[in-house]
């Protein structure tokens, strides 16, 4: 039996989602929209962001769920766990608030409140390191589209990669 890779669009989409899914605990900010009360949204956000879904138990839950509905279950479990933790790492190093609040991550919540992960060298969210990283990865995505004709954008917006590939190869030539 041939070894299965992470070759299906669904599996790649699940892995991609695992890198952004921790931030669903920040959706409380929308509470202000539903209740027409900005204070409720801010309270939900400040109370639960970096708590409900920025922890190891949630990671195991999501990785298990995604693996269960995937083709390459073991690889999807491993890669969703990795992407989830890359998200936590990025939060730790570069998401300090404008008021210098560090948004500690209770890694073992809801079972334990400790440890609360923080890094003293954490930079603010809207500073140049994050801008540089964003520009780098946008450039990398454009390069992938030009070189391989596909990128994570194509997982969410079918056909966009093809159109961008045609445009980029028309401008910069065929690789
Ligand atoms: Zn986060």
């Amino acid at each position: 039996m041939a070894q299965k890779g992470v070759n299906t669009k669904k599996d790649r989409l699940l892995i991609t989602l695992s890198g952004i899914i921790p931030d669903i605990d920040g959706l409380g900010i929308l509470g202000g929209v539903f209740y027409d009360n900005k204070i409720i949204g801010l309270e939900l956000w400040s109370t639960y962001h970096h708590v409900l879904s920025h922890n190891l138990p949630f990671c195991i839950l999501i990785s298990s769920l995604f693996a269960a509905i995937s083709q390459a279950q073991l690889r999807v479990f491993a890669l969703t766990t990795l992407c989830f933790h890359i998200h936590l790492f990025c939060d730790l190093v570069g998401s300090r608030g404008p008021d210098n609040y560090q948004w500690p991550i209770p890694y073992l919540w809801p079972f334990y409140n400790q440890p609360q992960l923080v890094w003293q060298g954490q930079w603010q969210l809207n500073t140049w390191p994050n801008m540089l990283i964003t520009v780098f990865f946008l450039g990398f995505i454009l390069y992938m589209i030009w070189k391989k004709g596909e990128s994570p954008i194509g997982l969410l917006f079918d056909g966009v990669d093809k159109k961008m590939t045609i445009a980029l190869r028309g401008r910069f030539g065929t690789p």
Side-chain angles (χ1 to χ4, degrees):
M1 184 174 172
Q3 189 178 22
K4 291 177 182 173
V6 183
N7 295 322
T8 67
K9 186 175 179 178
K10 180 181 165 188
D11 285 7
R12 286 184 283 141
L13 180 59
L14 290 171
I15 293 164
T16 303
L17 286 176
S18 70
I20 56 176
I21 205 163
D23 278 344
I24 61 170
D25 60 16
L27 293 179
I29 194 80
L30 298 177
V33 175
F34 296 121
Y35 292 101
D36 197 24
N37 182 339
K38 288 181 182 168
I39 301 298
I40 290 176
L42 286 173
E43 282 182 1
L44 288 172
W45 187 62
S46 60
T47 304
Y48 296 113
H49 187 42
H50 276 209
V51 176
L52 294 182
S53 50
H54 283 70
N55 54 67
L56 182 61
F58 188 78
C59 174
I60 293 170
L61 179 72
I62 287 298
S63 296
S64 301
L65 180 67
F66 284 5
I69 61 174
S70 68
Q71 295 289 315
Q73 294 179 331
L74 200 56
R75 289 183 186 200
V76 168
F77 182 87
L79 291 171
T80 52
T81 300
L82 176 65
C83 285
F84 190 100
H85 280 82
I86 289 173
H87 179 113
L88 297 189
F89 174 77
C90 292
D91 280 350
L92 278 176
V93 299
S95 68
R96 188 188 290 252
D99 57 355
N100 278 330
Y101 184 61
Q102 288 199 270
W103 295 96
I105 294 174
Y107 187 61
L108 299 177
W109 191 91
F111 301 108
Y112 302 98
N113 277 327
Q114 299 295 330
Q116 299 271 333
L117 303 180
V118 287
W119 178 51
Q120 293 309 313
Q122 181 187 51
W123 58 76
Q124 288 191 346
L125 190 63
N126 60 342
T127 48
W128 69 266
N130 287 353
M131 309 290 178
L132 187 65
I133 291 166
T134 302
V135 168
F136 172 79
F137 279 107
L138 283 176
F140 182 70
I141 286 172
L142 290 173
Y143 174 76
M144 291 288 289
I145 294 172
W146 173 74
K147 181 85 175 172
K148 295 193 164 195
E150 63 179 18
S151 78
I153 295 170
L155 296 172
L156 299 173
F157 304 104
D158 217 14
V160 171
D161 279 353
K162 285 192 177 86
K163 289 179 181 173
M164 290 183 72
T165 302
I166 292 168
L168 288 169
R169 289 180 180 174
R171 177 70 179 84
F172 299 106
T174 305

